[in-house]
Structure formats: structure tokens, C-alpha cells
Amino acid sequence: MDITNASQFLSANRLTIKGIIVACLILIMLIPTLFIMSLVNERANRQEAVAREVSARWATEQTFTGPILVIPYRESIQSEVGKTTVYKKYAYFLPDQLKINGVLEPEIRHRSIYNIVVYRANMQIEGYFSPIQTEGLQIAKEDLQMQEAFVCIGLNDFRGIEDQLSLSWNDSSHIFNAGMPDDHIIKNGLHTPVALDYNDLAKSNTFKLQLHLRGSENLSFTPVGKTTDVHFTSAWTNPSFDGSFLPVTTPQITEKGFSAEWKVQHLNRNYPQCWKDGNYNIADSRFGITLLQPVDSYSKTMRSVKYAILFIALTFGLYFFLEILQKRTVHPIQYVLVGLALSIFYTLLLSISEYIRFNIAYSIAAAATVALITLYTKSIFHKWKIAMLFGVMLTTLYTFIFILLQLQDGALLFGSIGLFIVLAVVMYYSRKINWYI
């Protein structure tokens, strides 16, 4: 009697039970997806490690800071017992005008299957310091050690300096040396002595500098001028402009490269034109250019993997409906095999896109997956009409996801509308199914 009742229960609720099984299979098939996500992250991390290796041999990201005029001075402090101690301190002066004109020459370095973007930057740097006023700093002129004055610039990686670096200061030339006599403002930089006399305090001091620099991916500048003008051109067609300031006008980006211009006033930043004993973090005001890779296959692959639940759920759902409409039973193992075929698509996409363009890799992986599942569907239902219908559904779904991958700001809106339409179609065609038989 119990066996008979159980048999009747299973017969009366077979669709519900099969639906639960299919739902469980959908969740189980997400496990391979998690492994694929981990694989994508591993390959992306490997690419970053290779980029660091190449940068370590070429030169890392570069940030140019300066020039800054530093003048040591003496400060006498008298103790309570009347003893006077003389300390050596530093006063810092920033230029009134700083102009940087440059050309960024990108290069692609190959390591194994990875492409790493590096650059050479040819910069013409010029400007002037206005007459030096020390009254506001409360430094007596006789306390200034003019013969020990020096000009310093900051760079991230000295390995990127390609030529001897000299500073044209007024009518004289000075060779830069590595290291900083004082590193309160610039931690990593070069300096050159520019011996001054008291007459130089009352006049403007001009400077000029030619810098040929290597670096990787990013080039930034610190706006130390009272007015800082930066103009750069490059043959790179996929730049990003980042940091504290954007170009003053819309950058010109064409198939031949880009041109961008910045203009920053001293009122736009949070440190003065001159100070003493202050420890300002002037690096916070930097801005610059990042050379982006034209196609980041790993980020697009990761985005596509996130839609795996959509592929698996719709595919299994269609198989389930076909079971009911065609009155043909599909074994859970067959569901699993179809789910594995859908998962293999992502490993195909990941591996192929490491060698060729992402869009072509996507087309190849999608075509192979659609063909495999279409033929397998024909072997299950023994009808080409159903198999071709299934192939069209998968092709439409892969095309839909491909469009989402190309979008940026509109991806969420377009995706939400698409999913709503899919759900509406499923609800429409399932309305006449009698779920109680």
C-alpha cells in the first residue's frame, strides 16, 4: 500500500520533481564556473606579474616633479640657560611659470604570450622663478646660505633617464646628480647646485631642461608652477587621463594618436609657492596619462563568465520545456553534459583570446559551443527542427552577451531589458503547460 501510494505520488508530481532536479543541476553546474573565474584571475595576475618584470628591466611608472629651488638658511635657537644653537634648515621656492611640452612614444614589449606597453617621453621643460621674497618667511637675508642653493627634480625610477641631464640656469649649465641633500619634499630625486648671490634675489631666474625618459604605462606631473602648462602628443590611440586634474579642453583622440593640454593654477592645489620647514605632500596634486591596452581580454572574459548562470538556466529550462512538449525524457547526465559544454566555452574563450583579438576569439568559441550543443540536441530529440531552434536560441544569447560586453555605461540598462524580454517569452510559452500531470 505504501509502495502504491509512493508510486502514485511520484507519478502525480513528476514534473515538479523533475523541475527540482533541473534546478539543483543548475546550481551544481555553477561549481565549474567558480573554477573558471579562479583561472581567469590567475591568468590576469600572471599578466600583471609579467608587466612588473618588464617594467623592472625597462622603467616603472614615472612622475616628474619640479624644478624646485631650495636655499639652506641658518636658524639660531637660544636655550633657557642662554646657550645658542645654530641649525641648518631649508626654504623652498616654486617657479612662477612652468611649461612642459612633450611627445610620448609608445612601444609594445612581448614576453611569452603577453603584450606590455612601455614608452619613451621626450620633454622640453622651461620657465622662471620670480624674485625671491624672504620677508614672508621671516628669514633674514644674512641667514641665507646662497652658495649652497640647489635645484631639485623628482623622478620615480632613475633607470628611465636616457641621456645626461643638465639644467640651463640663466646663462649657465649645471649637471644633475642623483640623491637629495634634503628629502622632506621630494623623496626620490636629483639635484644640482646653482650658487646664488644676494643680487639674484631681486631678479627673475630662468631655467630650461631637456628630459628623455623611459617608463611603463603611466606618466604623471606635479603642478609646482604658479601657472603650470603641460602639452603632450602621442601616437597611442587609447589613452586615459587621470590624477587630480583633467585636460583643460577635450583631448583630441584620433586613429593617429592623441593630443592633450593641461593648465593648473597655484590656487587649484593645497600648498603655497614658498615655505620653510613645511612638509607638504605635493604628490597628491599630480596628474597625467595612462596608456591603456586596447583590449583587456581578461576583464571581458571575467564579465562574460558572470553571465554563465543565464546561459545554464535558459538552456536547462528550454530542455525541460522540450521534455514536456515532446514527451521525451532527458536524463540528468545529459543535462550535465550540456552544462559542461557551456562551461567549456569560457575556457576556450580565455585560451584563444590570449593569442588573438578578443572579438575573434569570442566568435570562434561561441560557434564551436553552439555547433556542439546543436548536434547533441539532435541526437537527444531526433529532430533537426528542434536542434536548429536550439542553435538559434544559443546564437541569439551569445550575441546578446557579446553586445553587453561592448557596452560600458548602458550595459545594466540593456541587460535588464533583455532579461525582462526573455522572462516574458518564457512565461508566455509556458502558460498552457499543465504542471499537475
Side-chain angles (χ1 to χ4, degrees):
M1 186 68 177
D2 292 339
I3 296 176
T4 302
N5 291 337
S7 177
Q8 292 176 348
F9 175 82
L10 292 175
S11 177
N13 297 276
R14 62 183 182 84
L15 291 183
T16 301
I17 295 173
K18 188 59 178 289
I20 294 173
I21 293 174
V22 171
C24 292
L25 289 175
I26 292 174
L27 296 178
I28 292 173
M29 292 312 302
L30 291 181
I31 296 175
T33 303
L34 297 177
F35 285 106
I36 294 171
M37 285 185 174
S38 176
L39 179 61
V40 175
N41 284 327
E42 178 185 335
R43 302 299 290 180
N45 292 336
R46 172 58 182 161
Q47 184 188 43
E48 293 177 0
V50 170
R52 289 192 295 268
E53 291 176 10
V54 173
S55 298
R57 291 167 173 78
W58 177 264
T60 60
E61 297 180 354
Q62 297 283 16
T63 298
F64 176 80
T65 303
I68 299 175
L69 175 62
V70 183
I71 303 178
Y73 68 94
R74 295 184 298 269
E75 184 175 280
S76 301
I77 299 178
Q78 190 172 19
S79 65
E80 295 179 355
V81 296
K83 182 180 179 180
T84 301
T85 304
V86 178
Y87 294 93
K88 182 179 182 179
K89 295 189 176 182
Y90 296 90
Y92 309 93
F93 302 89
L94 304 184
D96 263 41
Q97 179 70 53
L98 174 61
K99 291 184 178 180
I100 302 176
N101 287 293
V103 177
L104 204 59
E105 300 174 354
E107 296 182 23
I108 298 294
R109 293 295 168 118
H110 304 281
R111 171 68 69 86
S112 183
I113 61 173
Y114 303 104
N115 296 325
I116 311 301
V117 59
V118 298
Y119 62 79
R120 281 185 168 91
N122 301 316
M123 294 185 283
Q124 173 75 36
I125 305 158
E126 58 184 10
Y128 67 89
F129 290 84
S130 64
I132 296 172
Q133 304 293 330
T134 60
E135 291 79 4
L137 300 179
Q138 298 181 342
I139 302 175
K141 287 186 178 181
E142 57 271 17
D143 289 330
L144 292 172
Q145 297 178 294
M146 304 296 290
Q147 294 300 313
E148 296 183 25
F150 61 91
V151 170
C152 61
I153 61 173
L155 288 175
N156 287 6
D157 193 342
F158 297 161
R159 292 171 299 179
I161 301 174
E162 293 196 307
D163 300 320
Q164 180 65 265
L165 198 54
S166 63
L167 175 73
S168 176
W169 180 264
N170 295 326
D171 297 324
S172 60
S173 180
H174 304 265
I175 302 298
F176 277 99
N177 299 305
M180 298 291 297
D182 170 64
D183 62 355
H184 283 86
I185 303 302
I186 297 177
K187 303 297 182 183
N188 199 47
L190 305 96
H191 79 284
T192 181
V194 286
L196 303 174
D197 57 40
Y198 291 108
N199 294 328
D200 293 320
L201 296 177
K203 66 179 184 180
S204 296
N205 294 278
T206 62
F207 62 87
K208 187 176 292 186
L209 172 65
Q210 284 275 1
L211 178 58
H212 302 284
L213 189 65
R214 295 198 311 263
S216 300
E217 294 187 341
N218 178 270
L219 175 63
S220 297
F221 314 93
T222 305
V224 297
K226 191 171 187 178
T227 300
T228 301
D229 292 291
V230 177
H231 181 267
F232 253 83
T233 59
S234 175
W236 193 256
T237 58
N238 197 31
S240 173
F241 306 103
D242 45 28
S244 298
F245 303 97
L246 294 176
V248 290
T249 58
T250 302
Q252 302 298 314
I253 304 176
T254 67
E255 295 179 354
K256 296 182 179 180
F258 73 87
S259 175
E261 183 174 355
W262 294 260
K263 187 169 186 177
V264 182
Q265 303 293 337
H266 72 290
L267 296 176
N268 303 137
R269 46 172 220 233
N270 63 351
Y271 49 90
Q273 281 299 109
C274 62
W275 67 88
K276 65 175 184 178
D277 302 332
N279 194 10
Y280 293 98
N281 190 3
I282 63 177
D284 288 344
S285 63
R286 70 182 183 88
F287 60 91
I289 308 160
T290 298
L291 303 181
L292 299 177
Q293 291 279 17
V295 176
D296 186 354
S297 60
Y298 296 113
S299 63
K300 286 190 174 183
T301 301
M302 179 60 76
R303 287 177 61 192
S304 66
V305 174
K306 293 178 181 178
Y307 294 103
I309 180 64
L310 175 64
F311 277 91
I312 295 172
L314 288 179
T315 303
F316 282 17
L318 182 57
Y319 262 71
F320 183 52
F321 287 142
L322 288 175
E323 274 194 75
I324 299 172
L325 298 175
Q326 297 296 315
K327 295 181 172 56
R328 187 174 187 86
T329 303
V330 180
H331 195 276
I333 295 298
Q334 293 175 310
Y335 278 95
V336 171
L337 291 175
V338 172
L340 290 176
L342 293 172
S343 299
I344 290 296
F345 162 78
Y346 300 106
T347 59
L348 283 175
L349 176 60
L350 174 62
S351 58
I352 297 174
S353 64
E354 290 184 331
Y355 293 91
I356 62 177
R357 293 176 57 189
F358 178 85
N359 292 354
I360 299 176
Y362 188 96
S363 300
I364 294 173
T369 304
V370 170
L372 176 62
I373 296 179
T374 298
L375 293 174
Y376 190 66
T377 302
K378 166 62 171 60
S379 69
I380 294 176
F381 294 99
H382 305 293
K383 292 183 180 180
W384 274 112
K385 182 179 179 180
I386 292 177
M388 296 308 296
L389 174 64
F390 205 87
V392 170
M393 185 274 290
L394 278 180
T395 301
T396 303
L397 193 56
Y398 278 116
T399 302
F400 172 70
I401 299 302
F402 180 79
I403 294 174
L404 287 183
L405 294 178
Q406 308 309 309
L407 298 176
Q408 294 294 332
D409 297 334
L412 178 60
L413 175 62
F414 187 80
S416 299
I417 294 174
L419 291 177
F420 180 84
I421 294 174
V422 169
L423 179 61
V425 171
V426 171
M427 294 175 68
Y428 177 79
Y429 283 102
S430 64
R431 71 192 190 283
K432 293 183 179 181
I433 295 177
N434 186 357
W435 300 98
Y436 293 98
I437 60 172

